[in-house]
Amino acid sequence: MSEVLPVKTLPDNPHPEHLRRQAKDLLAGLRDSDPTVTLAGAQATLAGQYGFRTWTDLLAEVDRRRGCAAVADPALARAIAAHYDLGQVTGEMRSLARPDESGRRWSLRTDRGRWSVRTMDTWWPIVDVETEVAFRLAAAAAGVRLPTPVRGRAGDIVVEIGGHRWRVDEWLHSGPPLAAPAGSAVTREVGGILATLHGLNWPVERISPWHRLRLSEASWPDLAASARAAGASWAPELERAVDTLVRLDAVAADEKAGDEKAGDEVAKPVLSHNTLGPGQARLGADGRVIVVGWEHAGGQPPAWELGNALMDWTVNPGGGVNTAGARALVDGYHTAAGALPPIGPGMFRGAITGQANYLTGQIRYALAARDDEDRRYADRSVRHLLAHLPTPDALALLLDVALGAARR
């Protein structure tokens, strides 16, 4: 899947300081485009990324959700610790966030440290888990900072315990997830990380289906009609966005933009992280980027993943572009790799297709939601996605930035 800037999810036990740190990180990216932006402005922007109208509304939601983390059965926590040889459990195993497309993340403390534990009940891997883990370890050996996967006593990565599938990573201390637009120092490092991953030239049989194919035959007008018939509160926003979505589809479908015909080097995939957006990145104590979320590793042409990163990291709310951040990302890639992958309109095909797949899924999820909490989240998610669509003009500007870097 592609990150495509989904609505941010508050932790199960959020803290205002978590948000203040995110707002300060976001401020650097906003000031790349407008040096007059204040911290209050960054806080308002961040609130919008969480799906709330104001910073005050977001803080009110934090207060409402404090102490809402789920606590696992102590016997389950001990069984996981025993299977993965993590040591003696010293505290409650608590959930970190609502379930995502793979499962739910938990924190487990033992006498040997803290561990990131997650269910994998709804995980659909693009490559087999041993390939993903081997690739992740190769990335770490090449200098990418990431949590080390933990094997069970029998050497397994994923195991069924208590009716759920589980996997464990070491816990790396870091700040909260980053937000877009990120500052130039961060995007430069992200560009270098992508170049490092692509430079491994890890073979893969196919392009990730999430980026290659529209997984639904429903048209945007049809989805808008369904939302209107269901009385969805965001139906008017979807109707207004139909024209932009259709134009983006046309960009992704343009065969002249680089098709996948046999032998086309532009579209030759390599194994990579596949979802390296702000939500999968943290800053460590030394300010360097830590990359998480390797479960969806899959194949993309390097040009596609570079285009995806430009969309995810440098598009401002409202469709503007942090050109300084975009230039730094491309420069970081060029510096690390010594060259850029083929630059052209086709580099955004995978990102646009992934975005369409994600938005379609969120629309259907919102229309089907019955639980009040699920409906609140789904409605915020759809509104956020519709408010942060990249315009064809924004993609053209990103392409100009990339072409300019390629000519230097």
Side-chain angles (χ1 to χ4, degrees), residues 303-322:
W304 285 24
E305 194 168 34
L306 179 58
N308 207 150
L310 285 168
M311 276 181 52
D312 283 350
W313 285 91
T314 70
V315 174
N316 295 326
V321 172
N322 174 8

Side-chain angles (χ1 to χ4, degrees), residues 309-386:
L310 285 168
M311 276 181 52
D312 283 350
W313 285 91
T314 70
V315 174
N316 295 326
V321 172
N322 174 8
T323 55
R327 191 174 298 113
L329 195 153
V330 177
D331 286 347
Y333 190 107
H334 190 281
T335 298
L340 293 173
I343 302 298
M347 68 191 299
F348 301 112
R349 293 187 68 187
I352 294 170
T353 302
Q355 179 185 63
N357 285 328
Y358 188 82
L359 177 56
T360 299
Q362 289 297 291
I363 288 170
R364 288 179 165 165
Y365 176 64
L367 293 177
R370 296 294 178 263
D371 177 81
D372 287 345
E373 196 67 33
D374 285 346
R375 187 181 299 109
R376 281 162 53 90
Y377 174 82
D379 287 351
R380 289 202 310 269
S381 179
V382 173
R383 281 202 172 93
H384 169 82
L385 290 166
L386 293 173

Side-chain angles (χ1 to χ4, degrees), residues 196-207:
T196 299
L197 297 179
H198 297 164
L200 295 174
N201 200 27
W202 200 285
V204 66
E205 293 181 352
R206 59 174 182 160
I207 296 175

